[in-house]
Amino acid sequence: MFTQIKAFFGIGLGLSLVVSLLFNYSQSQTTKNLSTQLITSKLTVESLTAKNQALDHQVQGLVQSRDAAQLAADDTKREVLKLRCDALVRVDEVRTVIQHEDCYSRPLPDSVIERMHYN
């Protein structure tokens, strides 16, 4: 009977060892697969981070270009307004000067009116 117990114990231990080895092999394969997936994910994250940084630099460049264009547009607008104000002042000066001239009451020729774009 002791021999049978030893045999059952030996078989149980052998089966336990085989099941343990199979489980360890399975876990090892799962670990390798997960490690490969982790490396792939890490590379994907690094690639996406690099793309994100490149897009960030591009956006910063576009924002700077937009700001420079806005400043140029503002300067142009100020210059146009200044030129219009100057033109109106000059027109008023001319009207004041020619007010007492006999040509003041006569209409200007069409060719002169076409060249006067101050409004």
Side-chain angles (χ1 to χ4, degrees):
M1 176 152 160
F2 187 66
T3 327
Q4 283 182 339
I5 293 176
K6 270 174 102 176
F8 283 128
F9 182 71
I11 292 174
L13 188 62
L15 283 175
S16 241
L17 183 61
V18 168
V19 168
S20 175
L21 288 173
L22 287 175
F23 181 75
N24 284 342
Y25 178 76
S26 171
Q27 287 300 101
S28 172
Q29 292 302 315
T30 302
T31 303
K32 284 180 185 177
N33 289 341
L34 290 175
S35 176
T36 304
Q37 287 177 359
L38 178 63
I39 291 169
T40 304
S41 297
K42 200 174 189 180
L43 291 174
T44 302
V45 166
E46 289 172 358
S47 171
L48 290 174
T49 300
K51 283 182 183 179
N52 191 25
Q53 289 174 346
L55 287 172
D56 182 49
H57 292 306
Q58 184 179 4
V59 166
Q60 286 177 359
L62 291 172
V63 165
Q64 289 174 350
S65 296
R66 181 208 57 200
D67 291 345
Q70 184 63 49
L71 288 174
D74 292 344
D75 289 344
T76 303
K77 186 176 180 180
R78 277 193 294 274
E79 184 67 24
V80 166
L81 288 173
K82 183 181 177 295
L83 290 173
R84 284 188 180 167
C85 288
D86 291 347
L88 290 173
V89 167
R90 285 195 178 89
V91 167
D92 287 341
E93 288 173 355
V94 169
R95 284 187 179 150
T96 303
V97 169
I98 66 169
Q99 195 172 22
H100 301 292
E101 301 292 327
D102 57 342
C103 66
Y104 182 73
S105 58
R106 284 186 266 153
L108 293 173
D110 289 338
S111 62
V112 173
I113 292 174
E114 288 176 7
R115 287 185 283 163
M116 295 176 65
H117 295 288
Y118 54 86
N119 284 333

